[in-house]
Amino acid sequence: MRYMRFIVVILICLSCSTSKKIDLINYDSEIRLNKNNNSFHIKDWYIKDIQEDGIPGISLEKAKRQLSKNVKNNEVIVAVIDDRLDIKHEAISQFIWNNTKEKKGNGIDDDYNGYIDDINGWNFLGNDKKEQLIYTLSEEARIVRFYNDKFKEVDSTNISSLDKEKYDLYKKAKKVVDDKVKESKEEYIAVSPIFIKKYKEAVIKINPYLKEQNFTLQSLDSLQLKRESLKPYTSFISQMIEYEITLEDLEQELQTHINRVEKYYNIEYDDRLLLADSLFAHDINYINYGNNDIIFNTKEDYSHSTHVVSAITNVINHNVKIMPLCISAYGDEHDKDIALAIRYAVDNGASIINMSSSKYFSLHEFWVKDALKYAESKNVLFVTSAGNKSQNLDKIKNYPNDTDSNNNEVLSNFIVVGASTHHVNEKIMNESSNFGKKEVDVFAPGDSLYLASSSKDRTIKYEYVSGTSFATPIVSGIAALILSHYPSLTASQVKQIIMDSGVEYNFSIKINEEKTVPFNDLSKSGKIVNTYNAFIIADSIYNNQNKTK
C-alpha cells in the first residue's frame, strides 16, 4: 500500500509539472467541524467536504465544481443486482438502461443473449406468467436440503476425507437452521401472539373513551387519571407509543417468525418451483427461467433496490445508466442467480456491478467466483457491501468474496464497502457495519442517507436509511464518474484509485466490550472514499498513460 501511495505522489507531481498543483483533501484535528454535527439535519451531508464543511462526506460538490470541467463524459453502465426497482421514480427514471438490440414486446430474443424481451434488464425471480417469487430459502437451509439425503444418517466417524468439507458445511448449516427454527417457534408461541392479544384488548377497553382521538401519551395519561381501572391498558399502549411500536409492527413480527419456520428455514420449501427451475436449480448452464418484469409493482416488493439506485443517481451524471437485475427476495439470494446476473451484466455492456447484499454461507461458491473471474477478464468492477452485523470479516467468511480457500486474494476487480457516518469522532463508523483490515477495502457514507423510496400509493417518495447496502452504491457511483471521464482506466486501476484517494481518520472505535481500534485499522485502505481526491489521482494516471503512448 505504501508503494502504491508513493507511485500516486509521483504521478501527481508528473501531471502537475506543466499546470497548477492541486492538493489532496486530508483530515487533521485543526479542521473546523460543522457546528450542527451533533444535531444533524443536512439531507445531502454525504456529498459534503471535510475541509470546507467539517463533514466527512465524499467531496462530490467540490469535485464537480473544480475538476474535469472540460472533459467529455462517456456512457457508463452500472448493473444493480438487487430486487425489483421503481423505475418510474422521479430520481431514477432518466437513468434506466435501455437494451437497444432488443425489440420491445415481440416475444423474440432479438439479440440472442438467451433472454427474451430484456428491454431494461432481467428478473431472475419471475416466471413467464408474470408471477413473482417473494420468499426464498436461507442459504443454510439450501445446504441442508442439498446434502440431507447423503448426510442425515451419517456421523463424523464414517465420513471419507473427500466428503469431510461438505459434511462439516452441512453440520454447521444444520445447526443454524435448527437453532433458528427453535427460536422462531418460541417467539411465535410465547411472545408475539400474547403482545398482539394484549394490544387489541387494550384498544377495545380504551376506545369507548378516546374513540374520537388518536392515542397520545397525553390523552392516555389524562384518561388514566380519570379512570384508574384502565391503568393496565393505558400503560401498555403508552409503552408501545414510547417505543414506536404499532399493532402492524407486532403482526409483521409474528409473520416474520411464521415465515422463518415455514419458508426461510424449512428444507421442504421449494423456492425454485415457481420459477420452473426446480429440476435445474443446481445446473448453472440452464438459464431458461425468469422474465423481463424488473419493475417494483406489488405490496410484497420493498424499497431496497430503489434506495440503492437512488444513492448511485445522487452521485453520477446523465451519461451513466442503471441496468436492473433482480435476484433478491425475502430470504437469501441463490448462487445460481448471482452468477448468471453477473454474467448478464458483463455480456450486456456493464462496466460496474453493484450488489448490496451478502450472506455467511454459500452452497455453490465456485459458480459465483467463476463469474467474478469472468467479470475481471472483461474489465468489469464488482462492488459489494460488507454487511450489517457489527462483525470482523477477517474472522468469518462472508459471500461473495475475493479470496480462495487459503484466504489469498484472487480478484483485482472486487471492492468490499463498510459504512461511515457524519460524525467526526469515535462514532465515525456506523455501529452496525461489518469491518476487517483484510476483508473490507474501504468505507463510504452509509448512515442517515436521504434516498428515494417506493410505495404502491406513491405516498412515500424519500426516506432516511442506513447500512452498508447504501454505502456500496456511493462507491459504485464514484467509480462510474471516474470511468465516464477516463474510460481507458482498468477495473483494477479504478479500485486502487478509490482505495488510495480516500481520506484517513484515526479515531478510536470501540468494536466490542473490551477492544478499541483506530478507524484506519478497520479496512484495508483505512479510509473513507473521496471523489475529489479520486479525480486528481485518476487524472494523473490517465495523463501519464497518454504521455507514454
Side-chain angles (χ1 to χ4, degrees):
M1 184 62 72
R2 288 179 179 175
Y3 172 76
M4 187 63 196
R5 289 174 183 165
F6 177 68
I7 293 296
V8 166
V9 170
I10 290 175
L11 289 173
I12 292 173
C13 291
L14 283 172
S15 68
C16 295
S17 60
T18 57
S19 60
K20 183 179 178 181
K21 185 177 183 297
I22 303 175
D23 293 325
L24 293 174
I25 295 167
N26 58 68
Y27 170 77
D28 63 63
S29 58
E30 301 300 316
I31 288 177
R32 174 188 60 82
L33 300 184
N34 186 279
K35 63 183 180 180
N36 293 318
N37 223 300
N38 290 328
S39 56
F40 210 74
H41 62 273
I42 301 175
K43 290 180 178 179
D44 61 351
W45 72 266
Y46 54 94
I47 69 173
K48 301 296 183 181
D49 179 76
I50 186 63
Q51 290 182 337
E52 292 182 354
D53 308 303
I55 300 172
I58 64 172
S59 304
L60 180 66
E61 289 179 323
K62 186 173 184 177
K64 288 187 173 181
R65 189 169 66 244
Q66 298 188 29
L67 300 173
S68 304
K69 292 180 180 178
N70 299 318
V71 179
K72 182 181 178 181
N73 292 327
N74 299 278
E75 181 173 285
V76 175
I77 298 171
V78 181
V80 175
I81 299 178
D82 212 289
D83 62 322
R84 291 197 291 187
L85 174 66
D86 186 358
I87 67 171
K88 296 180 181 179
H89 197 288
E90 62 191 16
I92 292 171
S93 59
Q94 67 269 36
F95 294 99
I96 299 301
W97 169 74
N98 183 52
N99 183 1
T100 56
K101 297 177 183 178
E102 192 77 16
K103 295 178 182 179
K104 187 175 182 179
N106 67 356
I108 299 172
D109 182 16
D110 299 291
D111 57 2
Y112 304 105
N113 68 354
Y115 301 92
I116 297 172
D117 289 342
D118 54 324
I119 299 297
N120 301 121
W122 194 253
N123 176 11
F124 291 89
L125 296 185
N127 63 23
D128 56 7
K129 299 177 182 177
K130 298 297 183 181
E131 295 172 320
Q132 180 73 9
L133 183 64
I134 304 300
Y135 301 102
T136 60
L137 284 169
S138 68
E139 192 70 0
E140 301 94 314
R142 285 194 194 106
I143 290 168
V144 176
R145 179 187 177 98
F146 187 71
Y147 289 118
N148 208 42
D149 288 344
K150 183 173 185 176
F151 293 136
K152 66 180 176 181
E153 302 296 339
V154 179
D155 61 47
S156 58
T157 60
N158 295 319
I159 294 296
S160 68
S161 58
L162 293 175
D163 281 339
K164 187 178 186 311
E165 186 176 344
K166 295 175 182 176
Y167 178 79
D168 289 344
L169 177 63
Y170 168 78
K171 295 298 287 187
K172 185 178 178 181
K174 191 171 189 312
K175 184 179 186 312
V176 173
V177 169
D178 290 346
D179 289 347
K180 289 291 186 181
V181 170
K182 180 182 178 183
E183 176 188 311
S184 287
K185 283 183 175 179
E186 288 173 351
E187 287 288 327
Y188 169 63
I189 294 170
V191 181
S192 299
I194 294 174
F195 271 82
I196 291 172
K197 182 179 179 181
K198 285 185 69 175
Y199 198 109
K200 290 180 176 179
E201 183 180 355
V203 170
I204 290 171
K205 294 290 185 181
I206 295 170
N207 258 345
Y209 306 97
L210 293 177
K211 60 183 178 181
E212 299 302 327
Q213 304 178 35
N214 292 323
F215 292 166
T216 64
L217 293 176
Q218 184 177 1
S219 65
L220 290 168
D221 285 345
S222 177
L223 177 60
Q224 185 173 304
L225 289 173
K226 294 176 182 178
R227 294 186 175 273
E228 183 70 20
S229 63
L230 294 177
K231 184 176 180 179
Y233 309 109
T234 55
S235 296
F236 179 79
I237 297 297
S238 294
Q239 282 185 312
M240 295 295 102
I241 293 173
E242 287 176 352
Y243 287 104
E244 298 181 346
I245 299 173
T246 65
L247 177 60
E248 184 180 3
D249 293 331
L250 293 172
E251 290 175 335
Q252 187 174 356
E253 181 69 14
L254 174 61
Q255 189 60 51
T256 296
H257 293 306
I258 293 172
N259 287 335
R260 283 178 179 170
V261 173
E262 295 181 353
K263 295 184 174 69
Y264 307 149
Y265 298 107
N266 178 12
I267 66 170
E268 301 301 323
Y269 173 59
D270 186 351
D271 62 353
R272 307 299 284 183
L273 189 61
L274 179 141
L275 307 180
D277 189 49
S278 185
L279 294 176
F280 306 97
H282 305 290
D283 179 1
I284 190 63
N285 297 308
Y286 181 82
I287 67 170
N288 297 322
Y289 68 98
N291 62 37
N292 66 349
D293 183 12
I294 50 88
I295 303 174
F296 168 97
N297 62 8
T298 74
K299 66 179 182 179
E300 290 91 357
D301 282 334
Y302 52 114
S303 289
H304 192 270
S305 183
T306 302
H307 296 326
V308 167
V309 171
S310 172
I312 297 175
T313 62
N314 286 351
V315 174
I316 61 178
N317 56 43
H318 286 277
N319 291 76
V320 179
K321 300 301 178 185
I322 303 298
M323 176 192 292
L325 297 170
C326 310
I327 69 166
S328 299
Y330 291 98
D332 281 334
E333 293 83 2
H334 200 291
D335 286 335
K336 179 176 179 177
D337 299 338
I338 297 172
L340 291 180
I342 291 171
R343 289 180 176 276
Y344 179 100
V346 174
D347 291 340
N348 288 277
S351 298
I352 299 161
I353 300 172
N354 186 101
M355 181 174 162
S356 290
S357 60
S358 59
K359 53 189 177 181
Y360 294 111
F361 287 83
S362 179
L363 177 57
H364 297 296
E365 178 187 3
F366 177 77
W367 290 351
V368 178
K369 195 66 61 69
D370 199 44
L372 289 169
K373 288 178 180 178
Y374 177 65
E376 181 185 42
S377 73
K378 299 296 184 179
N379 204 30
V380 177
L381 186 68
F382 187 87
V383 190
T384 189
S385 53
N388 308 299
K389 299 279 188 175
S390 305
Q391 292 180 323
N392 185 349
L393 296 187
D394 292 348
K395 297 182 178 180
I396 58 173
K397 274 287 189 180
N398 195 44
Y399 301 92
N401 57 55
D402 60 349
T403 56
D404 61 17
S405 58
N406 296 316
N407 287 325
N408 297 315
E409 189 172 302
V410 294
L411 295 168
S412 64
N413 64 328
F414 192 94
I415 302 181
V416 181
V417 185
S420 59
T421 74
H422 63 266
H423 296 289
V424 194
N425 53 33
E426 70 280 358
K427 295 181 179 180
I428 196 166
M429 182 176 77
N430 177 279
E431 63 181 3
S432 70
S433 177
N434 288 343
F435 53 89
K437 181 69 173 175
K438 295 180 179 179
E439 295 299 323
V440 175
D441 292 301
V442 73
F443 277 77
D447 185 81
S448 299
L449 305 185
Y450 192 68
L451 301 176
S453 186
S454 303
S455 65
K456 283 302 293 177
D457 58 5
R458 304 286 172 182
T459 56
I460 302 175
K461 286 193 173 184
Y462 297 88
E463 62 183 335
Y464 286 98
V465 294
S466 299
T468 60
S469 282
F470 316 115
T472 301
I474 286 180
V475 176
S476 295
I478 294 173
L481 276 182
I482 293 170
L483 285 175
S484 73
H485 286 80
Y486 308 107
S488 64
L489 293 176
T490 66
S492 61
Q493 283 179 314
V494 174
K495 172 185 175 176
Q496 200 62 54
I497 287 167
I498 287 172
M499 290 176 65
D500 284 324
S501 62
V503 176
E504 190 168 351
Y505 300 86
N506 62 356
F507 300 111
S508 295
I509 309 297
K510 193 171 184 179
I511 60 174
N512 57 43
E513 293 287 331
E514 300 154 356
K515 192 170 183 180
T516 299
V517 177
F519 178 70
N520 55 0
D521 270 350
L522 296 178
S523 67
K524 191 176 294 186
S525 68
K527 298 177 178 181
I528 294 174
V529 294
N530 189 275
T531 316
Y532 183 88
N533 288 352
F535 265 77
I536 293 174
I537 297 175
D539 189 66
S540 300
I541 295 173
Y542 179 81
N543 288 334
N544 190 61
Q545 287 177 340
N546 286 342
K547 286 178 184 178
T548 59
K549 288 182 179 179

